[in-house]
């Protein structure tokens, strides 16, 4: 595995990115001690698909309900890597267009 640069991930959180040569998915490991991770609310009326990777070609692993709050651990293009259980572990990816940041 290759280690990426440390720094801000699209203004979200300081992190270290690793790219696995066998996969197109970039794993983002947040540095939780440095900054509190942002929380977002699902704004899709009929729910939002949680996917294994950052794109519609990845399998759906769950469907988040409208109004559900998630923690964003990283970004990959327009896709957020999210924690839905609040345990600090990434559960999958959601498209950022269907999430609104909580203030």
């Amino acid at each position: 595995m290759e280690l990426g640069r440390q720094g801000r991930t699209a203004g979200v959180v300081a992190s270290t990115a690793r790219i696995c040569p066998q996969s197109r998915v970039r794993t983002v490991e947040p540095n939780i001690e440095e900054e509190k991770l942002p929380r977002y609310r699902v704004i899709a009326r009929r729910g939002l698909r949680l996917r294994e990777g950052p794109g519609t070609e990845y399998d759906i692993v769950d469907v988040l309900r409208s109004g559900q709050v998630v923690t964003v651990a990283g970004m990959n293009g327009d896709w957020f890597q999210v924690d839905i259980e609040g345990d600090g572990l990434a559960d999958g990816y959601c498209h950022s267009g269907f999430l609104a940041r909580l203030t």
Side-chain angles (χ1 to χ4, degrees):
M1 283 193 185
E2 300 173 18
L3 285 179
R5 295 186 305 188
Q6 278 200 328
R8 291 180 99 37
T9 305
V12 174
V13 64
S15 63
T16 301
R18 284 190 287 169
I19 302 171
C20 179
Q22 296 83 8
S23 172
R24 298 180 325 192
V25 178
R26 186 181 82 166
T27 303
V28 179
E29 296 176 359
N31 184 349
I32 297 171
E33 296 174 359
E34 197 166 313
E35 184 176 336
K36 186 176 178 184
L37 297 175
R39 293 169 35 108
Y40 286 74
R41 180 178 311 281
V42 175
I43 59 171
R45 183 177 311 279
R46 294 186 180 161
L48 180 60
R49 293 179 183 113
L50 180 70
R51 296 188 176 269
E52 286 184 350
T56 57
E57 65 273 17
Y58 291 93
D59 289 337
I60 298 167
V61 294
D62 203 351
V63 177
L64 308 181
R65 71 186 187 296
S66 183
Q68 184 171 347
V69 175
V70 300
T71 302
V72 172
M75 289 184 72
N76 189 326
D78 290 335
W79 293 82
F80 285 158
Q81 185 180 42
V82 299
D83 168 11
I84 62 173
E85 296 183 18
D87 58 3
L89 300 174
D91 295 296
Y93 289 81
C94 293
H95 193 276
S96 61
F98 297 97
L99 296 167
R101 187 168 185 159
L102 299 176
T103 55

